[in-house]
Amino acid sequence: MIILDYRDKRPIYEQVIEKLQNLIIRGALEPESKLPSVRNLALDLTVNPNTIQRAYTELEEMGYIYTVKGRGNYVSKESEWRENREKLIDEETRTLARHALEAGIGKEHLISRLEAYYEEEKR
C-alpha cells in the first residue's frame, strides 16, 4: 500500500500524506472506507506512531479523512476534499503567475508551458 523512500529529504509524515492522498484521489481507498489504525500503520511502515498521527491530523485538516472518536479514521467523500484541493491549486497558480511576471515571462509562454506540462502529466 505505502512504500516510503528513506532517501527522500522530506519528512516521513509528508511522504505518508502524499501516498494516502494519491490513494484517495485515484480511488484505491474508497469513500467511507476505514484506514488502518495509527498503531497498525506505524508498525507496518516501521515508523513512530506520532508520525502517522501527524499525517492523519493533516489529512483531516485538508478534508481527505475524518475521525470517528473511538472507532478510527475514515476516507471522506470526494466532495469533502475536492474543494480544498482546488483552492490549493488556485493558490499555487496565482504564485506561479506572480513569479512569471517578476521574471519577465510572457503570458503566452507561461500558458504554452503549462499546457505542455499538463499533457505530459496526463500520460
Side-chain angles (χ1 to χ4, degrees):
M1 181 160 111
I2 295 176
I3 298 172
L4 300 174
D5 179 2
Y6 294 100
R7 292 174 288 157
D8 191 326
K9 294 182 183 189
R10 293 177 300 152
I12 298 297
Y13 81 94
E14 287 182 5
Q15 291 184 50
V16 172
I17 290 169
E18 178 187 66
K19 304 290 184 180
L20 288 172
Q21 279 178 322
N22 287 336
L23 290 169
I24 292 168
I25 290 167
R26 292 192 171 118
L29 291 174
E30 295 184 12
E32 308 299 326
S33 64
K34 190 173 188 312
L35 293 171
S37 71
V38 168
R39 186 177 351 136
N40 286 342
L41 187 54
L43 285 171
D44 288 348
L45 299 177
T46 62
V47 299
N48 188 306
N50 292 332
T51 301
I52 303 304
Q53 184 58 54
R54 184 170 182 184
Y56 278 8
T57 298
E58 291 205 17
L59 284 165
E60 186 168 13
E61 288 172 3
M62 292 185 267
Y64 285 94
I65 67 173
Y66 64 94
T67 302
V68 176
K69 193 163 181 97
R71 309 235 31 198
N73 297 288
Y74 295 83
V75 176
S76 297
K77 295 177 183 171
E78 183 175 345
S79 60
E80 300 293 321
W81 55 262
R82 171 106 17 227
E83 184 177 333
N84 287 338
R85 187 155 176 91
E86 288 177 8
K87 284 180 186 176
L88 177 63
I89 291 168
D90 284 345
E91 290 170 13
E92 291 174 350
T93 304
R94 179 179 295 278
T95 300
L96 176 64
R98 186 177 65 251
H99 289 306
L101 275 170
E102 291 168 355
I105 297 171
K107 180 173 76 170
E108 292 77 19
H109 180 73
L110 178 63
I111 291 171
S112 71
R113 295 309 310 145
L114 181 59
E115 287 174 342
Y117 295 140
Y118 187 87
E119 292 304 318
E120 284 176 19
E121 291 298 319
K122 281 177 34 178
R123 293 184 212 141

